[in-house]
């Protein structure tokens, strides 16, 4: 029986999987069970920020596993507070507080709950709570009931209604729609500074500035989903700062690259005062309001701490920006008609494909056809929507690895569209 047959028999078929079985990784490379190597520009979908099995992360995990694996959040541990301090003082650099979860979807659920708490405190004029969270079309916020309901894509929600009430989806980057879209019950706005799964769509600086102004005017929380974009992926510790540096959000969610491969998510709330008594936003999530058995455990926090230190100490943000420039220059020089554009920032890049130039069988998108051809040629990349493939190499990717990947990309795209 092949591994794929065993999956078919025992694992729920929720994923369309590529036809390889991976068993080992090192840096920007992984190997399958046939011993074949691949350059990994998928990195667990922007998770393995330092590549596979980085010695600093592996060392921290080994050390912590032999010391203390898990205790309840009924107690304090050093790795959790050290990670929170590292995030607050060195990465987000705004006064606020962190809650640790286990995934991105859970982190967003925490932000949604926080928005509702806020809406209970800062009510509508008649005293009834505000509860609505505005999100955007083509967004992706996760697969739990809460985060799926926040996601502005019908295909993610199909067959699961009734959804959690209290969300409205507005067109992304549309300032007029935003200004008309605020209702008395609106409490918050949640968005990805760069939509990842939805196709690598950037928020425009004008839109972000208008959004911050609307939030100020209507007393709404401004919340960023930085689950895919955060911690160096976009060439800055926080992606919104690459677009509008002076913005100060009220809430932020993270996961993916934060742990470099271990399952961790987190959300952050600002310490800013939300009323004239000086009540801070972060104080609204007080004792008993939220929790997680596994969240912030010593094992994952010890690993994440080393990821963030490595990103900072080696200035991997600078490498992300430099490799982006190299990739753009090279791809731009090819003049391949099948490539419509390069979108994104840092090492969250989308290569737009012209579907008319990619022969695809019925029911298969151009992006998936190209991703499968690249895999056959030795390069792993994920799709982002029907006509975009993503390049998500590790943040410490070298010039030689980028050049090798670009060589495979050029040859493959040239052959497909010939
Ligand atoms: C991946 C992702 C999520 C969901 O994270 P999970 O860890 O899969 O729950 C949410 N938001 C964004 C922007 C993502 O990229």
């Amino acid at each position: 029986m092949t591994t794929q047959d065993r999956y078919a028999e025992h694992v729920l078929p929720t994923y369309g999987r590529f036809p390889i079985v991976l068993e080992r990784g090192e840096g920007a490379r992984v190997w399958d069970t046939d011993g074949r190597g691949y350059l990994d520009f998928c990195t667990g979908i922007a998770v393995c920020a330092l590549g596979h099995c980085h010695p600093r992360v592996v060392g921290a995990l080994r050390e912590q596993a032999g010391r203390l694996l898990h205790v309840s959040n009924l107690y304090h541990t050093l790795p959790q507070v050290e990670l929170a301090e590292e995030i607050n003082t060195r990465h987000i650099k705004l006064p606020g507080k962190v809650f640790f979860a286990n995934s991105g979807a859970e982190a967003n659920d925490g932000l949604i709950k926080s928005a509702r708490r806020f809406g209970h405190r800062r009510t509508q004029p008649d005293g009834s709570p505000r509860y609505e969270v505005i999100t955007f079309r083509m967004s992706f916020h996760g697969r739990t009931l809460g985060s799926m309901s926040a996601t502005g894509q019908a295909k993610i929600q199909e067959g699961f209604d009734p959804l959690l009430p209290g969300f409205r989806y507005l067109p992304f980057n549309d300032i007029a729609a935003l200004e008309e879209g605020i209702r008395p019950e609106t409490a918050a706005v949640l968005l990805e500074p760069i939509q990842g799964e939805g196709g690598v769509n950037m928020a425009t600086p004008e839109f972000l500035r208008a959004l911050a102004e609307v939030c100020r005017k209507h007393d709404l929380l401004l919340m960023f989903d930085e689950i895919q974009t955060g911690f160096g992926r976009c060439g800055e510790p926080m992606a919104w700062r690459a677009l509008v540096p002076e913005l100060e959000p009220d809430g932020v969610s993270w996961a993916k690259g934060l742990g470099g491969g271990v399952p961790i998510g987190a959300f952050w709330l600002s310490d800013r005062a939300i009323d004239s008594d000086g009540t801070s936003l972060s104080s609204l999530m007080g004792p008993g309001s939220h929790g997680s058995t596994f969240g912030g455990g010593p094992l994952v926090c010890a690993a994440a701490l080393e990821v963030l230190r490595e990103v900072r100490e080696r200035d991997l943000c600078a490498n992300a920006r430099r490799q982006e420039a190299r990739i753009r220059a090279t791809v731009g020089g090819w003049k391949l008609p099948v490539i419509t554009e390069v979108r994104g920032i840092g090492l969250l890049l989308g290569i737009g494909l012209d579907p008319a130039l990619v022969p695809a069988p019925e029911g298969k998108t151009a992006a998936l056809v190209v991703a499968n051809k690249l895999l056959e040629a030795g390069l792993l990349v994920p799709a982002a929507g029907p006509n975009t493939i993503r390049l998500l190499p590790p943040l410490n990717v070298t010039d030689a690895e980028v050049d090798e990947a670009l060589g495979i990309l050029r040859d493959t795209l040239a052959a497909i569209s010939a």
Side-chain angles (χ1 to χ4, degrees), residues 9-68:
E9 195 157 325
H10 295 288
V11 180
L12 273 178
T14 54
Y15 302 101
R17 294 180 203 262
F18 291 101
I20 54 174
V21 183
L22 296 174
E23 71 173 359
R24 189 166 63 82
E26 192 185 325
R29 280 174 214 275
V30 288
W31 285 266
D32 68 15
T33 44
D34 296 328
R36 172 145 198 241
Y38 303 85
L39 257 181
D40 188 3
F41 277 37
C42 175
T43 55
I45 314 194
V47 165
C48 306
L50 305 181
H52 295 281
C53 300
H54 191 280
R56 201 163 170 177
V57 178
V58 174
L61 281 168
R62 288 212 165 103
E63 222 272 318
Q64 188 61 47
R67 184 189 298 273
L68 187 68

Side-chain angles (χ1 to χ4, degrees), residues 369-410:
V369 167
V370 169
N372 274 290
K373 289 275 183 215
L374 289 172
L375 179 145
E376 284 165 29
L379 173 65
L380 305 186
V381 300
N387 301 321
T388 304
I389 54 165
R390 256 175 301 175
L391 301 183
L392 301 168
L395 304 182
N396 55 6
V397 69
T398 64
D399 290 9
E401 287 158 350
V402 164
D403 293 345
E404 186 182 337
L406 290 177
I408 296 172
L409 186 63
R410 182 200 54 224

Side-chain angles (χ1 to χ4, degrees), residues 45 102-108 140-144 147 192 194-197 225-229 253 255-256 264 390:
I45 314 194
N102 309 285
S103 67
E106 271 180 78
N108 281 336
F140 181 76
H141 298 298
R143 302 282 195 159
T144 59
S147 60
E192 303 154 83
I194 300 158
Q195 294 182 333
E197 302 304 307
D225 177 342
E226 289 252 12
I227 287 165
Q228 186 159 158
T229 53
S253 54
K256 294 204 164 94
I264 186 170
R390 256 175 301 175

Side-chain angles (χ1 to χ4, degrees), residues 220-235:
L220 311 178
L221 297 183
L222 174 58
M223 307 193 300
F224 284 127
D225 177 342
E226 289 252 12
I227 287 165
Q228 186 159 158
T229 53
F231 297 115
R233 177 58 50 190
C234 296

